[in-house]
Amino acid sequence: MFSPTALRPRYAKWLIATGLFLMLSGCVDKPNTLERVKEDGVLRVITRNSPATYFQDRSGETGFEYELVKRFADDLGVELKIETADNLDDLFDQIGKPNGPVLAAAGLVSSEQRKKQVRFSHSYLEVTPQIIYRNGQSRPTDASELVGKKIMVLKGSTHADQLAELKQKYPGIEYEESDAVEVVDLLRMVDEGQIDLTLVDSNEVAMNQVYFTNIRVAFDLGDARSQSWAVAAGEDNSLLNEINSYLDKVQKNGTLQRLKDRYYGHVDVLGYMGATTFAQHLQQRLPKYEQHFKTYAKKEKVDWRLLAAIGYQESLWQPAVTSKTGVRGLMMLTQNTAQAMGVSNRLDPKQSIMGGAKYLAYMKDQLDDSIQEPDRTWFALAAYNVGSGHLDDARKLASREGLNPDKWLDVKKMLPRLSQKQWYSKTRYGYARGGEPVHFVANIRRYYDILTWVTQPQLEGDQVAEGNLHVPGIDKSKPAQENPPL
């Protein structure tokens, strides 16, 4: 018979062994971040509410970062849940919190301080910090001329770090960091003269410059930098490795380039004078025809803002114009097209818009089923301009060059060849001014972008209303007089 004292050491050893076994079992069974995302069926992502990252319009969620991370979630086979941070400090604080976001996709640039908080993925976009000033004011040409200027940047941004470094060399530099604004607010404040200067990345300047017609780039402050996604600090590389594999894949297969082209590839087509004129015409001309655009776009199941953008590209929303080639009216229809679409008077703006809507819908319907959106819309616009036959020729040229005939990014490279004999002599429909539809589509895309922003419904809440986060900086006051027709 064993005594109680003899049992105690064995019992104690058994308890220790059992405890260790349970601890080890718990470690083995605990899922890593990637496994947890897949088990939950949800990818939780935090971002910024801005044109270059994530915002909502009447069509739903959109933005460069949103589309890129949405494709990642689709690749994982999980639902995407987006939340927006009030400011950059809040964004970094939220990463990795229990039941919180596991990924930040917000146009982030790595820094030594940030590396203490998070880990960064492979790069997907190169940007350059730029000093922005107001047209008509003295243009600073180097860092020494920032002294004495009223400057504001985002709190917690790498731009604030840059200015802090400059201040060591030029103690007279003064700047304010704010967590109550976004980049779009900073650009608006420069545009309106509330501040003298700001420092933002080149992609945000390019995307927003058309809304703020007074802003100008003074100079680049430093070299180009890489934007990356961020995950929580630690030794769990499961999600980070998956992200890097995905980013490498979309870089290689062209998806990333197509997104860049969609959001940034057409941002400079208007120039400052074109942007100013368009802003004026939004107030002076569009209201006369807006209801017609909405009525016939709805009837033909196209976006009225796209239809309006075509009208502006064709005639600057002027109903009585006639080109040297004989096309007439607000939508600049040919005689044959007008007759085919049931338009008896091309100079009647209502009839012209009706005809343009029917013709755009017809062009889309004629395209091959293999062409998907958004490329399908760009192809339809090109066909609207140059004709479906010439567009087919360009697609065939793309195929011969090993490019994708269903992607606008590839086909638009081929269209200019239709004006070169060595190429058009090999096509069915021959010569065409192939560069024109490329510019035609690029301009319409930019006008459409602006119209999309202008017509967005305002979100509820004082922060949005007062901060003007979702409204482009187009002067709403009535101009003294309308410019003469261009």
Side-chain angles (χ1 to χ4, degrees):
M1 190 171 179
F2 295 103
S3 66
T5 53
L7 284 170
R8 285 192 192 114
R10 291 187 187 179
Y11 183 63
K13 290 179 181 178
W14 180 81
L15 285 176
I16 292 171
T18 302
L20 287 171
F21 174 78
L22 291 173
M23 289 174 62
L24 290 171
S25 297
C27 292
V28 171
D29 294 338
K30 185 178 180 181
N32 60 37
T33 305
L34 181 59
E35 291 170 340
R36 193 167 67 250
V37 167
K38 291 184 175 181
E39 287 176 4
D40 293 344
V42 175
L43 178 67
R44 292 178 171 83
V45 175
I46 191 166
T47 188
R48 297 159 45 215
N49 186 199
S50 76
T53 52
Y54 167 82
F55 65 97
Q56 294 187 23
D57 64 13
R58 291 179 179 178
S59 301
E61 298 172 305
T62 188
F64 177 83
E65 292 283 358
Y66 171 78
E67 294 217 25
L68 190 59
V69 79
K70 178 65 169 64
R71 284 168 169 77
F72 178 54
D74 291 343
D75 269 14
L76 294 178
V78 299
E79 179 187 357
L80 176 64
K81 286 282 185 70
I82 291 283
E83 64 179 85
T84 57
D86 291 334
N87 52 64
L88 286 169
D89 289 338
D90 178 55
L91 182 145
F92 285 106
D93 288 343
Q94 294 300 319
I95 293 294
K97 281 191 173 182
N99 300 317
V102 296
L103 165 63
L108 303 175
V109 172
S110 173
S111 70
E112 292 305 314
Q113 178 59 38
R114 288 178 173 180
K115 287 179 180 178
K116 297 176 183 178
Q117 299 174 274
V118 297
R119 291 171 296 159
F120 288 93
S121 71
H122 293 175
S123 170
Y124 55 85
L125 189 66
E126 294 292 313
V127 297
T128 303
Q130 295 181 320
I131 293 290
I132 306 302
Y133 76 108
R134 189 175 192 270
N135 186 39
Q137 302 300 309
S138 175
R139 175 188 177 184
T141 57
D142 60 44
S144 65
E145 296 182 19
L146 304 184
V147 175
K149 301 293 186 180
K150 186 177 181 180
I151 306 171
M152 182 182 290
V153 293
L154 297 186
K155 186 175 184 297
S157 65
T158 52
H159 304 125
D161 296 338
Q162 284 183 279
L163 292 177
E165 291 181 15
L166 282 179
K167 188 173 174 62
Q168 295 179 9
K169 184 176 181 180
Y170 305 103
I173 291 178
E174 299 292 340
Y175 62 94
E176 178 184 353
E177 295 183 57
S178 175
D179 61 3
V181 298
E182 247 296 342
V183 170
V184 68
D185 297 287
L186 294 175
L187 295 174
R188 174 178 53 82
M189 293 169 77
V190 172
D191 184 82
E192 295 176 354
Q194 298 180 38
I195 57 177
D196 297 322
L197 306 169
T198 189
L199 176 60
V200 298
D201 285 331
S202 54
N203 64 315
E204 306 243 28
V205 178
M207 175 161 276
N208 288 289
Q209 68 181 16
V210 72
Y211 308 128
F212 308 111
T213 55
N214 291 315
I215 66 171
R216 299 290 187 274
V217 176
F219 60 90
D220 295 345
L221 188 62
D223 298 327
R225 307 179 301 174
S226 298
Q227 289 189 347
S228 306
W229 288 348
V231 300
E235 298 180 356
D236 182 353
N237 293 318
S238 59
L239 181 61
L240 185 60
N241 289 341
E242 193 76 11
I243 289 170
N244 287 335
S245 295
Y246 163 75
L247 292 175
D248 291 345
K249 181 183 73 173
V250 294
Q251 175 75 49
K252 186 176 181 179
N253 67 19
T255 299
L256 183 58
Q257 185 57 48
R258 285 191 288 273
L259 278 178
K260 290 178 182 177
D261 179 70
R262 179 177 174 188
Y263 282 92
Y264 302 119
H266 57 291
V267 291
D268 295 321
V269 297
L270 298 185
Y272 292 115
M273 292 306 297
T276 302
T277 302
F278 184 62
Q280 293 172 340
H281 290 169
L282 277 172
Q283 305 166 54
Q284 300 162 351
R285 299 180 181 176
L286 179 60
K288 303 173 187 176
Y289 313 113
E290 182 174 333
Q291 191 55 52
H292 296 327
F293 284 123
K294 289 180 176 178
T295 297
Y296 291 110
K298 183 177 181 180
K299 186 174 181 179
E300 301 300 332
K301 298 180 180 178
V302 296
D303 190 326
W304 78 266
R305 296 165 298 187
L306 183 67
L307 191 63
I310 297 172
Y312 190 77
Q313 170 64 22
E314 292 284 41
S315 69
L316 304 185
W317 294 325
Q318 299 175 105
V321 292
T322 301
S323 80
K324 59 185 180 182
T325 59
V327 292
R328 307 185 74 187
L330 195 145
M331 302 299 286
M332 295 298 274
L333 303 175
T334 66
Q335 183 64 51
N336 289 339
T337 299
Q339 289 178 352
M341 298 299 119
V343 174
S344 60
N345 180 5
R346 288 183 288 167
L347 299 184
D348 178 344
K350 184 177 179 180
Q351 287 194 44
S352 184
I353 292 170
M354 179 268 290
K358 291 177 70 173
Y359 190 53
L360 176 62
Y362 173 77
M363 287 291 105
K364 290 189 77 169
D365 288 342
Q366 297 304 301
L367 295 171
D368 291 348
D369 293 340
S370 58
I371 303 173
Q372 302 298 310
E373 292 290 3
D375 298 275
R376 193 173 186 84
T377 293
W378 314 144
F379 275 78
L381 292 176
Y384 187 105
N385 176 261
V386 77
S388 56
H390 291 304
L391 180 63
D392 286 341
D393 284 344
R395 293 182 66 210
K396 289 173 182 175
L397 289 177
S399 293
R400 294 172 195 167
E401 294 293 308
L403 301 176
N404 190 336
D406 296 335
K407 295 297 181 183
W408 174 246
L409 184 65
D410 288 346
V411 174
K412 78 174 186 178
K413 298 174 184 175
M414 298 295 107
L415 277 163
R417 292 187 178 185
L418 299 181
S419 62
Q420 303 170 33
K421 186 174 182 179
Q422 69 177 106
W423 297 106
Y424 71 70
S425 61
K426 302 174 184 178
T427 65
R428 178 179 179 182
Y429 293 94
Y431 172 83
R433 293 190 295 271
E436 288 189 7
V438 176
H439 293 296
F440 182 82
V441 174
N443 285 341
I444 289 172
R445 289 175 67 174
R446 200 55 184 136
Y447 298 138
Y448 175 70
D449 283 348
I450 301 168
L451 285 165
T452 299
W453 270 86
V454 170
T455 58
Q456 279 189 78
Q458 289 301 290
L459 302 184
E460 294 181 0
D462 294 338
Q463 181 183 8
V464 173
E466 296 175 2
N468 198 24
L469 294 177
H470 291 275
V471 182
I474 293 174
D475 185 4
K476 297 295 193 298
S477 59
K478 187 175 181 180
Q481 60 182 20
E482 182 170 354
N483 290 350
L486 300 177

